[in-house]
């Protein structure tokens, strides 16, 4: 993959990931999950990161807000 993925949401609990991932995939956004295995094997030493391709970033942010999984303030730098 020549482009880096963009983290659009982080999770502390693995159970929350599946719901949001399914929602984004229903919106046509391919999702990649980083640190899930580490979190399950070692424990909560790091957040689980939900990532998308850079070209899907804005669409994912909009979907997360519209779906009630995030607020606009979550994406302010």
């Amino acid at each position: 993959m020549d482009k880096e993925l963009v983290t659009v949401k982080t999770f502390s609990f693995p159970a929350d990931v599946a719901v949001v991932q399914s929602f984004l995939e229903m919106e046509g956004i391919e999702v990649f999950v980083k640190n899930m295995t580490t979190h399950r094997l070692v424990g909560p030493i790091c957040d689980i990161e939900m990532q998308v391709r850079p070209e899907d970033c804005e669409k994912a942010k909009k979907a997360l807000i519209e779906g009630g999984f995030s607020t606009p303030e979550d994406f302010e730098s």
Side-chain angles (χ1 to χ4, degrees):
M1 189 173 302
D2 35 87
K3 294 182 181 179
E4 288 212 20
L5 298 173
V6 178
T7 299
V8 291
K9 187 156 182 70
T10 58
F11 300 86
S12 297
F13 302 102
D16 296 337
V17 176
V19 173
V20 179
Q21 181 175 1
S22 293
F23 177 78
L24 289 179
E25 288 175 347
M26 287 189 314
E27 295 292 316
I29 301 166
E30 187 173 14
V31 174
F32 304 88
V33 180
K34 181 179 175 182
N35 299 329
M36 178 71 89
T37 302
T38 301
H39 198 280
R40 286 185 173 159
L41 294 175
V42 183
I45 60 169
C46 58
D47 284 332
I48 301 164
E49 297 180 37
M50 182 165 288
Q51 300 182 319
V52 298
R53 289 191 170 89
E55 57 269 21
D56 291 332
C57 185
E58 291 306 313
K59 182 178 177 182
K61 288 178 183 180
K62 183 177 178 184
L64 288 168
I65 293 166
E66 289 176 356
F69 299 108
S70 296
T71 66
E73 293 78 21
D74 293 335
F75 301 112
E76 293 176 359
S77 298

